[in-house]
């Protein structure tokens, strides 16, 4: 039932049906005189004393309000930003929603098989060799050996990673992939460098980094300070996605492809190989939109696969289990 206010017109005096309970003191306050408003009783829920805290929409105002700081102000500041995994963090990224196919295959099938193939049983009471100290000491056969420092290992200035017994905690796995492309034609036309950066970004899903030359090389027409190369580094799901695309799509379509050389590697678990422009054009990200990239500007690239293995043997065994072929004598 609508409420009619005395002393007003029919159009201005019609209020909503709920005006009697809540909206009468607010909606019709301008329609009453000062004496009428003072005599009109307020509802119990709208009586606010001066000492009580203010109420907004029937709720108390929060006493403690925390806002994540915009900038990191140091470890001793009382307000610390939340971790990147917290939903209220500015760096929070809601991904990934699921593991890559090759990544899921590694943790479910490949990792147990690699542990079984490379496991070395140590009988009870056997003390393995201590590789923590591998520097050579002076035997003291000459008086010139006194007060001299220890010598580095033979053949290298720095020792290689010490071998560790295989356990479930140190099974070799893929840690990252680095793609590098040297564009010599960028010295004459910067469009070649832009095309190479677009190709690497499309293949990896990560923005490419531009590198400038540091010296002048007359034989290669290289001048210092000129941008001549692009690099893209990926890890995590992007690395497994690139490896899956490489093994399942690109390598089977390369004609007369022998595989990766068995002598490849830096003796610390990193395997290197490369592709020409024709093989780079076989990636699905490039082939599906080949008209976007000029054929003569598609570059070749070098691929470095980083693993957690401490030697090339375990790293090659990991890549072979993922489907990468090797040829020649294995070093």
């Amino acid at each position: 039932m609508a409420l009619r206010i005395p002393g007003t017109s029919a159009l201005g005096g019609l209020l909503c049906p709920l005006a009697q309970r809540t909206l009468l003191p607010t909606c019709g306050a301008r329609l009453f005189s000062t004496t009428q408003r003072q005599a009109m009783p307020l509802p119990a829920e709208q009586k606010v004393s001066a000492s009580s805290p203010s109420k907004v929409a029937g709720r108390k105002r929060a006493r403690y309000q925390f806002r994540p700081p915009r900038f990191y102000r140091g470890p001793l500041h009382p307000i610390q930003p939340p971790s990147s995994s917290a939903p209220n963090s500015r760096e929070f990224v809601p991904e990934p929603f699921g593991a890559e196919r090759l990544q899921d295959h590694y943790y479910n099938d490949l990792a147990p098989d690699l542990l079984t193939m490379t496991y070395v049983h140590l009988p009870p009471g056997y003390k393995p060799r201590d590789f923590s100290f591998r520097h050579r000491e002076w035997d003291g056969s000459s008086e010139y050996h006194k007060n001299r420092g220890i010598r580095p290992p033979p053949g290298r200035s720095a020792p290689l990673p010490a071998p560790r017994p295989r356990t479930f905690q140190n099974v070799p796995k893929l840690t990252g992939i680095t793609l590098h492309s040297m564009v010599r034609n960028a010295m004459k036309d910067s469009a070649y460098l832009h095309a190479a950066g677009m190709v690497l970004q499309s293949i990896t899903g990560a923005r490419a980094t531009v590198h400038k030359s540091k010296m002048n090389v007359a034989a290669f027409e290289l001048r210092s300070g000129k941008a001549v190369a692009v690099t893209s580094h990926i890890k995590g799901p992007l690395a497994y996605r690139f490896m899956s695309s490489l093994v399942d799509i690109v390598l089977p379509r390369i004609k007369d492809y022998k595989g990766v050389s068995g002598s490849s590697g830096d003796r610390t678990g990193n395997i290197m190989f490369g592709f020409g422009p024709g093989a780079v054009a076989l990636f699905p990200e490039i082939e599906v939109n080949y008209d976007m990239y000029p054929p003569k500007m598609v570059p070749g690239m070098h691929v470095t696969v980083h693993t957690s293995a401490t030697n090339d043997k375990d790293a090659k065994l990991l890549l072979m289990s993922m489907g990468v072929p090797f040829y020649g004598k294995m070093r």
Side-chain angles (χ1 to χ4, degrees):
M1 177 179 180
L3 179 63
R4 177 65 182 273
I5 301 176
T8 59
S9 61
L11 182 60
L14 293 178
L15 298 177
C16 57
L18 300 178
Q20 294 180 349
R21 294 183 294 176
T22 58
L23 302 181
L24 181 60
T26 57
C27 298
R30 61 184 179 88
L31 303 177
F32 294 93
S33 62
T34 307
T35 306
Q36 293 175 344
R37 287 200 300 268
Q38 293 178 356
M40 184 179 298
L42 293 175
E45 59 270 11
Q46 293 190 5
K47 294 181 180 180
V48 180
S49 61
S51 59
S52 61
S54 61
K55 298 182 179 180
V56 179
R59 295 179 299 177
K60 291 184 178 181
R61 182 178 299 176
R63 179 175 299 180
Y64 301 104
Q65 297 182 359
F66 172 75
R67 295 184 61 188
R70 188 172 183 179
F71 303 101
Y72 179 64
R73 302 170 182 173
L76 301 180
H77 197 269
I79 301 179
Q80 294 292 324
S83 61
S84 59
S85 60
N88 61 339
S89 174
R90 299 177 185 270
E91 301 177 357
F92 176 74
V93 179
E95 64 171 359
F97 298 100
E100 292 293 327
R101 184 197 65 83
L102 184 60
Q103 186 177 11
D104 186 72
H105 176 58
Y106 167 78
Y107 285 104
N108 292 337
D109 301 325
L110 298 184
D113 294 343
L114 291 174
L115 177 61
T116 303
M117 296 174 61
T118 60
Y119 179 76
V120 177
H121 177 69
L122 301 179
Y126 174 79
K127 186 177 181 180
R129 179 183 173 185
D130 185 16
F131 291 95
S132 59
F133 185 82
R134 291 176 292 163
H135 294 273
R136 298 179 297 171
E137 296 182 355
W138 301 96
D139 55 3
S141 59
S142 174
E143 58 181 4
Y144 296 101
H145 292 176
K146 295 181 181 180
N147 301 326
R148 298 189 65 176
I150 55 179
R151 295 186 293 176
R156 293 181 64 92
S157 59
L160 294 174
R164 296 175 296 174
R166 177 72 65 232
T167 62
F168 69 95
Q169 296 179 342
N170 58 4
V171 179
K173 63 180 180 180
L174 188 66
T175 58
I177 298 177
T178 301
L179 283 76
H180 171 77
S181 179
M182 170 67 179
V183 187
R184 295 184 57 183
N185 293 330
M187 296 293 301
K188 302 178 181 179
D189 188 358
S190 61
Y192 286 88
L193 190 68
H194 295 304
M198 293 170 57
V199 168
L200 262 66
Q201 183 173 347
S202 300
I203 293 176
T204 61
R207 186 176 296 274
T209 303
V210 179
H211 299 279
K212 298 182 179 180
S213 59
K214 298 182 180 180
M215 60 182 65
N216 297 321
V217 182
F220 298 101
E221 300 180 358
L222 190 65
R223 290 178 293 174
S224 177
K226 294 293 184 177
V228 293
V230 287
T231 301
S232 180
H233 181 74
I234 54 178
K235 58 182 179 180
L238 290 179
Y240 283 96
R241 183 182 305 175
F242 172 81
M243 185 60 64
S244 177
S245 177
L246 178 67
V247 172
D248 298 336
I249 302 177
V250 179
L251 295 183
R253 299 179 60 185
I254 301 178
K255 296 182 179 179
D256 302 331
Y257 184 68
K258 298 181 181 180
V260 182
S261 175
S263 60
S264 175
D266 61 351
R267 302 178 64 183
T268 59
N270 301 320
I271 308 300
M272 288 75 67
F273 50 92
F275 298 102
V280 174
L282 297 177
F283 279 90
E285 295 84 1
I286 306 299
E287 189 177 21
V288 72
N289 195 11
Y290 189 73
D291 296 338
M292 179 179 177
Y293 310 96
K296 296 182 179 180
M297 291 187 179
V298 176
M301 64 180 181
H302 297 277
V303 181
T304 303
V305 182
H306 307 279
T307 66
S308 61
T310 57
N311 54 74
D312 292 347
K313 179 181 178 181
D314 294 341
K316 293 174 183 177
L317 186 62
L318 171 64
L319 295 186
M320 289 174 63
S321 64
M322 291 184 177
V324 178
F326 287 88
Y327 75 94
K329 185 177 179 180
M330 303 293 288
R331 188 181 65 179

